[in-house]
Amino acid sequence: QVQLVESGGGSVQAGGSLRLSCAASGYTLGRNYIGWFRQAPGKEREGVAAISLGGAYTLYAGSVQGRFTISLDNAKNTASLQMNSLKPEDTAMYYCAAGFLRYGGQWSAADMYDDWGQGTQVTVSS
């Protein structure tokens, strides 16, 4: 299994930026994607972005395209989510996850991911 620890959440005003980080340890060779998900109160968990561990592929939800950027560090043991132009509707608990995806079109399906972090809260005020 992979142990994941998120950090970087906080409270910002609309239009501001945050950078979330996901540090991975443990068994990683059986995983080929890191995803970021978020869940707001009363809503289902939704995929935000994902990246292949080789860094070749990035995927984004339409609601964050152009505002968020997912990336890996050079060691491929952390994944970051740079969030710019934040909106109140981005407010949620954000989770990183590691999984093995056979089909890229299913990147946003939470059940494709085996390992999850504890989450970090992002709050965007108007």
Side-chain angles (χ1 to χ4, degrees), residues 66-122:
R67 299 189 297 120
F68 291 10
T69 303
I70 189 169
S71 62
L72 298 172
D73 75 354
N74 290 335
K76 305 295 190 292
N77 63 350
T78 63
S80 296
L81 186 69
Q82 178 66 44
M83 305 186 295
N84 298 326
S85 301
L86 283 162
K87 304 174 180 179
E89 50 263 46
D90 295 318
T91 295
M93 184 74 74
Y94 283 70
Y95 301 88
C96 66
F100 181 82
L101 278 63
R102 300 184 69 178
Y103 306 102
Q106 299 298 313
W107 71 269
S108 62
D111 61 5
M112 297 296 296
Y113 295 83
D114 302 301
D115 306 297
W116 293 82
Q118 81 288 348
T120 186
Q121 178 67 40
V122 171

